[in-house]
Every structure is written in C-alpha cells, then in structure tokens.
Amino acid sequence: MMKQEQFLSVVDRDEAERRFRAALAPLAPVGVEEVMLGATLGRVLAEDVASPVDVPGFDRSNMDGFAVRAEDTFGASEQEPRRLRCLAEAVQMGDLPRGVVEPGCAMAIPTGGVVPRGADAVVMVEHTRLEGGDVLVEKPVAPGRAITWAGTDIAQGEVVLRAFEVLTSRETGVLAAMGRDRVRVFLRPRVAILSTGDEIVPPGAPLGAGKIYDSNQVILADAVREAGGEPVPCGITRDDPAAVRAALLDALAAADMVLLSGGTSKGPGDLNVRVLEETLEAPGILAHGVALKPGKPLCLAASDRKAVVVLPGFPTSAIFTFHEFVAPVIRALAGRAEPGAGGGSGASPATSPARGARERGWSRARLPVAMISEGGRTEYVLVRLTEDDAGRAVAYPIGKGSGSVTAWSQADGYFVIPRGVERLEAGDEVDILPVAGASPRRVDLVVIGSHCMGLDVLLGRLSRRGITSKLIAVGSEGGLAAVRRGECDAAGVHLYDAVTGSYNAPFMGPGLVLARGYGRLQGVVYRAGDARFEGREAAEAVREAAQTPSVMMINRNRGSGTRALYDELLGDARPAGYAVEASSHHAIGAAVAQGRADFGIAIELVARERGLGFLPLREERFDMVIAEARAGRPGVRALLEELGSEEVRRALRARGLRA
C-alpha cells in the first residue's frame, strides 16, 4: 500500500490570512498604463482627471423654441400674448449665431443650439404661435429658463473623476464629454491558472472512465476577471513532478500571481505542494491546511512576494477559498477597493467576508431546518433564499458538498458557522453574505419540494413567458412543510398514503390547494440482462434481492416520495446500500448504469434514457400544492395556466409522463 502524506499543519483561517498578507505586503497596484478611451470600460483610474474644457462649452438651449429677453414675456397669456419681432436669422446647430436679440425681438433656436447674445431665456415652441413676421408668446419665462450656461455641468479645471474609480459607461461618457481620448489606468494583474491531475480533460474532449472535465480553470479565469485581473490560462499538466515544476516556473515568469488547482489533499497522487517546496523562493509555503469547510486542503505560499496558491480540486472548495483569500489580493493589485470598504484604494487590507456582515448591510435570514457543523473549523454554507408570507428571508442550505459544480452557481448567498459552533437550530437567524459580490434576485415564482423533469418542462415554458422562477429541491415532505410555513408559492409532491391508497390529497390541510399535475410510472431499475431481476415481478424481486448479501441497492433521500415506496417494499430489511441516498431519479439511474448499485427505484423515463431494465411498480401522481394565500400572484396564476394547457400536456406525454 502506498503511504499517504498528511497535511503539514492545519491553522486557523485568520492566522492563515495573516501569514499570507504579511508575506505579500505591501499590497499595491502592479503598474500603470495609458489606454485609449474605447478600452477603458471596467478599468481602474490611476490618476485624478480634471476637465480641460467647460462642459457645455457654450450657453446651450434645452428645447426647441425662441431665444428671448425674459422681461419681454412678462404678463403673457393665451388671451393676451406678448408680440415679439421674429428675427430673420435662426440659430443653426454647430454654428455661433451672428445676430443679437434686442429688446422686443426673438430668434428661433433648436435644442442644443448656441444661445445668441442678448437672450437670457428660451420659450418653448408649444407656447408660441407665428403671426406674419411676429412671434406671439403665450406664457412668460423667467431669466435662465431652458438654458444650460457654459461650464454649468463641468467647469474647466474641475476634478471630475478620481484615481481608484472603476470606469463604467457613466464615467467613460464623462471622459468623452471632456474630450479625453485616452487615460491612465492601473495594469490588470496577470494571474496564471494551472490545472493538474491525470484525471482532468478539457471541455469538448472525450470523457473516459474516471475522468472529469476541467471546470475549475474556466470558473477561476472568470472569477479573476470579476476581481479585476487578467487570467493567463496555462492548460492541464499531468501528475508528474518534473512537468508540474516546469509549468510552475513558466507561470511564475509570466504572471503576477499563480493559481494551481488540486494536488493539496493527502493522497498518493497529490504532488503540487511538494513541487512548491522544492521550487519556490523564500518565504515559500505559509500555510498548508486551513480550518475551513469547505476548503481545508488550501495551500498558501509566496515566492519573493509573488502569491502562489494551490486551491482544492473540488469546485465549491476552490471557488470559496478563491473568494476568501485570493480575490482580495487581486483587487489590491488591480487598485480596486474591497466591497463595503467605504472607498479608497484596494491596496488597503481586506476585511474577511466572515466578519462584519451586519456592518456591510447584508441581510439576515431564518433557517428552516437544524444544522450540524463539524467543530474546530469555520464552515461556509451556501444557501437558496426565499421569503415567508411576512416578507422575512428564509435560507435553505444547499447540501451538495464541495465537489458540486452547480452549488456555487445556484446559490443566492452563504452564511458562516464559526469554528466553535456545532449546531444551529431551526428558526435560528444567520447573516447572509453575497456570492462573489452579487445580490440575490427576486423571482416571480418559488417552488420548493420534489424535483421532476416534468417540472422542468413547466418552468421552462414559464421562462419563455418572462416568468422567472426558483426551484429548491428538498423532497416532497420538505416541500409540503415549506408551503405550510408560507415559504414558497408552490410545492411539487408525490406523497403516497397507504391507508387510502392514493397520492397527495390526504396530506392537504387548511390554506392549501391541490393542483392536478401528471402521472409517472415508478419501478425497479436494473442493468438489462441481470437474471436476478429480468422478467420478475418487481416487489418479489426486491424482497429476494434484499436477502441476498451480494446485491447492492441505492436508496433515495429521506423525505422524498420514492423513499416511502422503498420502505414499503423492504419492510424491516436493510440490504447493502440502504444508507446510500441519491437525491434524484437520474442519480439512481447513474448508480445502476455505472455498476455502483444493482437496483434502485426510479421513473420509467430514466430507465429508457439509460438503457436499463425496468420492472413497473405503480403509477404515482406528481401534483402541485399551492398556498391559498398566494394563489392570486402572477407567477402562481401562470403556473396554473400552464398546468391546464393542452400544449403542456402534449409536451409531458412526449417525455414519457402520463398527462
């Protein structure tokens, strides 16, 4: 057996950050460059910008009408208009008028035209009428009416934009208005990103057994851009010390910071940290192993004040530790201020997102379920947010684990469980922090409960109608509890009542409405040709398999309607694999197809899509439970319309569902 190496030393999160920042200090922008105006969007100003001209550069009319002396209009009305002589010259756009507006005269002027000498107001054309060679003014104007005086917006020499401001379309428009065609900005720090591992292949390549696509390089490259850096993709390097060392040296020479993904956990194939020990200049490795969840395998290092970080290989761990430790450094090197830091240079030390949440104005939310945390390390918990009937935020933890690719993209935010806390109770309030600086968006329809591909059809059609939605999959029982607590608009359920032999209706109560959905055939899935199941009656095959030690099952998550069906079939039997819980029908199909389990319970469509054998058990109903108090909401009304649509019924039948 190959020996597995242990972490060097697991340190506290704050101590790890202190060591890392001390080795990189002082953190400051990496440099300055001058760029053309068209390339400034998203860049950070490296200088204060004073206007070389007045804006506007002349007295400008704000509307179509007539330039006049205001006192000539006093007392005007529709019944008794003031008569002014209309001058032959009219103001032309882009030209300086030659004539002068004398007392008792008016000159036609367009919006944006130069106000002629002598005039101190503009009368809207709608408040005038022409009669012969005269203008009849029907409404008086005050001096300065409808005129923007030269330099009113920006005065020559006025500092309009300041260093360390991030240039958006608003600021670039101001630069253009001042006539600036180029400006000095901070260089974007170059961040080399190197993926390592024999199991990693690039997206688009064939995916062999035991291989995974390299999602981390894409996620990290875009996260670097979001933080103000310039990613330098370095591709994938195999698990070979010489190859990793060569790639690391190239990255150090080409970039201001180096990120490696994977190779930090204890294990025979993890070698990045050993390569760092042999390759980096002082101070070298600063922390290998941080008391975090997710993210414990993180390695922080520096080579002559250049940051080198080996992020965990699992996507959620990698992106969490990136935003916690790496993104603040990139922002400092790019001259960007820390979010919520109250302005100033990004070179100032960052405040950890685990601290000061209340001061930075993030929301508080109630937990609908109790949570157990592993003591001794800080834990970050991704959540989906919804609101109860009183408008209070409710945070549903996303329990997909650090290996999940979708958890980060689906999250509305996260909260922190301090290292000394081992349990949070249902009803406890937590501070919600934003994911990558984004604010959670409100949607038109919140559905909590069981997930089904038929529900995907419904929500997809709603999306095409412009109805936004959020689906939080917690199982049928969890969805029913959520709709009872007023935490969602609807719940997808397929709950079987053994007493009545029917689905869903027996579980209704006050304030709930059952909207009829569709049927789907549940059954036992197995690998085609398996004689232990082929041609057998489903219930009999399951009972016999449960008594056979060599047979491995795959279970469903507690609270799901399918879990109740398992327990009904198995009785007191607990065959091998009973404790392994899959969260969806597709996960059941994958486990059986890949040989990790010999049988499970899923819907017929999954068996057909994966080429599995199928023994029918019963048709179940997948219905929607609607909160009566929310039935009038536009999103709920749209959902009910789709459920009753024949077009939707045809689409569901095309997916193998019974509508």
Side-chain angles (χ1 to χ4, degrees):
M1 178 182 293
M2 186 173 292
K3 181 181 178 182
Q4 292 199 355
E5 298 184 9
Q6 300 297 316
F7 294 115
L8 297 180
S9 176
V10 176
V11 299
D12 177 73
R13 177 240 172 268
D14 291 346
E15 173 61 18
E17 182 182 52
R18 186 197 65 76
R19 295 181 188 179
F20 190 45
R21 291 303 187 88
L24 304 178
L27 280 173
V30 294
V32 174
E33 64 177 336
E34 187 172 76
V35 298
M36 298 300 293
L37 179 61
T40 58
L41 185 66
R43 302 299 296 271
V44 182
L45 270 178
E47 61 180 351
D48 291 348
V49 178
S51 178
V53 296
D54 288 323
V55 180
F58 55 88
D59 298 338
R60 183 181 64 202
S61 173
N62 295 337
M63 58 184 61
D64 294 340
F66 292 89
V68 299
R69 291 175 178 256
E71 62 183 291
D72 289 340
T73 70
F74 294 167
S77 67
E78 291 185 18
Q79 293 75 27
E80 296 184 14
R82 290 291 182 264
R83 184 180 294 271
L84 303 177
R85 181 167 63 87
C86 186
L87 298 174
E89 180 185 1
V91 176
Q92 302 297 316
M93 290 297 295
D95 288 340
L96 190 67
R98 298 186 183 87
V100 177
V101 176
E102 302 287 356
C105 296
M107 184 181 291
I109 189 169
T111 302
V114 178
V115 177
R117 181 180 174 84
D120 62 2
V122 174
V123 181
M124 290 178 63
V125 68
E126 291 87 348
H127 296 155
T128 65
R129 66 178 188 269
L130 294 175
E131 188 176 277
D134 294 337
V135 177
L136 301 184
V137 179
E138 299 176 337
K139 188 173 183 178
V141 291
R145 172 68 176 171
I147 294 176
T148 298
W149 306 109
T152 299
D153 191 0
I154 303 173
Q156 182 177 338
E158 178 184 350
V159 175
V160 181
L161 301 174
R162 301 192 182 278
F164 296 100
E165 286 192 48
V166 178
L167 297 173
T168 70
S169 58
R170 295 172 297 183
E171 288 78 24
T172 58
V174 170
L175 289 169
M178 295 187 299
R180 293 289 297 263
D181 67 338
R182 62 192 69 208
V183 70
R184 286 165 58 82
V185 297
F186 290 120
L187 285 167
R188 287 184 290 229
R190 291 169 56 82
V191 181
I193 304 172
L194 175 64
S195 296
T196 64
D198 293 334
E199 76 281 11
I200 300 173
V201 297
L207 193 65
K211 304 294 185 181
I212 59 172
Y213 286 121
D214 183 12
S215 62
N216 280 4
Q217 186 143 178
V218 175
I219 295 170
L220 293 173
D222 285 339
V224 165
R225 292 187 184 96
E226 289 173 342
E230 179 182 338
V232 182
C234 297
I236 300 169
T237 301
R238 67 186 187 279
D239 280 332
D240 174 74
V244 174
R245 186 174 190 276
L248 175 60
L249 288 171
D250 289 343
L252 284 167
D256 303 299
M257 174 188 289
V258 179
L259 302 181
L260 295 89
S261 177
T264 66
S265 299
K266 57 182 181 181
D270 294 332
L271 50 83
N272 289 346
V273 175
R274 294 198 299 274
V275 172
L276 261 60
E277 288 178 323
E278 300 165 358
T279 307
L280 299 184
E281 297 181 17
I285 293 176
L286 305 163
H288 180 206
V290 182
L292 295 173
K293 181 182 179 182
K296 183 178 179 181
L298 175 70
C299 178
L300 300 172
S303 183
D304 190 22
R305 292 188 56 242
K306 183 174 290 188
V308 180
V309 180
V310 188
L311 298 166
F314 278 164
T316 298
S317 295
I319 199 64
F320 252 125
T321 49
F322 173 89
H323 283 287
E324 186 77 349
F325 294 94
V326 179
V329 174
I330 295 175
R331 285 192 287 267
L333 297 178
R336 290 178 175 240
E338 277 299 290
S345 166
S348 60
T351 300
S352 162
R355 300 189 296 270
R358 188 73 62 82
E359 287 77 2
R360 285 189 268 169
W362 310 137
S363 62
R364 286 179 66 77
R366 172 176 54 82
L367 287 176
V369 293
M371 282 203 65
I372 304 296
S373 179
E374 182 179 330
R377 55 176 170 160
T378 303
E379 181 173 357
Y380 301 137
V381 183
L382 289 166
V383 297
R384 308 290 304 278
L385 293 177
T386 182
E387 290 181 346
D388 62 19
D389 289 338
R392 296 169 300 201
V394 181
Y396 274 82
I398 301 175
K400 291 189 174 183
S402 59
S404 169
V405 179
T406 59
W408 184 264
S409 66
Q410 293 176 348
D412 295 313
Y414 69 99
F415 67 90
V416 181
I417 303 179
R419 62 182 302 179
V421 177
E422 296 185 355
R423 181 180 175 88
L424 295 175
E425 301 295 341
D428 283 352
E429 288 195 339
V430 292
D431 288 308
I432 303 298
L433 291 98
V435 171
S439 298
R441 63 186 182 94
R442 283 183 166 82
V443 295
D444 302 311
L445 178 73
V446 176
V447 180
I448 299 179
S450 182
H451 174 255
C452 176
M453 56 199 69
L455 189 53
D456 291 336
V457 171
L458 286 165
L459 298 184
R461 286 182 57 86
L462 289 175
S463 178
R464 288 189 285 275
R465 291 176 55 175
I467 304 293
T468 58
S469 63
K470 178 184 296 185
L471 172 62
I472 303 176
V474 297
S476 295
E477 291 181 2
L480 187 61
V483 78
R484 284 173 174 163
R485 291 192 299 261
E487 295 169 356
C488 61
D489 302 307
V493 299
H494 52 109
L495 292 168
Y496 179 69
D497 179 57
V499 175
T500 63
S502 62
Y503 276 89
N504 302 326
F507 298 91
M508 295 300 97
L512 302 181
V513 177
L514 187 65
R516 184 173 176 80
Y518 49 86
R520 55 187 196 177
L521 187 59
Q522 290 257 56
V524 176
V525 295
Y526 60 94
R527 287 182 297 283
D530 189 334
R532 296 170 296 186
F533 298 95
E534 196 79 57
R536 306 282 300 278
E537 190 272 328
E540 177 190 353
V542 169
R543 283 192 291 269
E544 187 171 316
Q547 305 302 320
T548 306
S550 62
V551 175
M552 180 77 69
M553 69 169 285
I554 177 78
N555 210 340
R556 275 299 303 274
N557 53 300
R558 280 164 284 190
S560 67
T562 305
R563 176 61 172 259
L565 184 53
Y566 271 104
D567 291 340
E568 179 186 337
L569 287 172
L570 293 172
D572 294 331
R574 295 295 181 265
Y578 181 87
V580 181
E581 300 179 355
S583 61
S584 70
H585 292 287
H586 284 291
I588 294 287
V592 174
Q594 294 169 10
R596 292 183 286 111
D598 298 309
F599 78 94
I601 297 176
I603 59 176
E604 184 180 22
L605 177 59
V606 167
R608 189 164 67 240
E609 287 181 343
R610 293 183 177 270
L612 299 173
F614 183 78
L615 304 178
L617 279 166
R618 67 163 66 110
E619 179 179 319
E620 66 171 9
R621 296 294 310 172
F622 190 97
D623 298 322
M624 302 301 297
V625 180
I626 306 296
E628 196 172 64
R630 301 189 179 201
R633 295 188 177 186
V636 177
R637 292 202 306 269
L639 173 65
L640 295 176
E641 289 170 7
E642 292 294 337
L643 277 172
S645 161
E646 180 54 36
E647 189 176 351
V648 167
R649 297 284 166 185
R650 286 196 299 270
L652 293 173
R653 288 194 290 269
R655 298 295 300 272
L657 300 170
R658 304 188 175 198

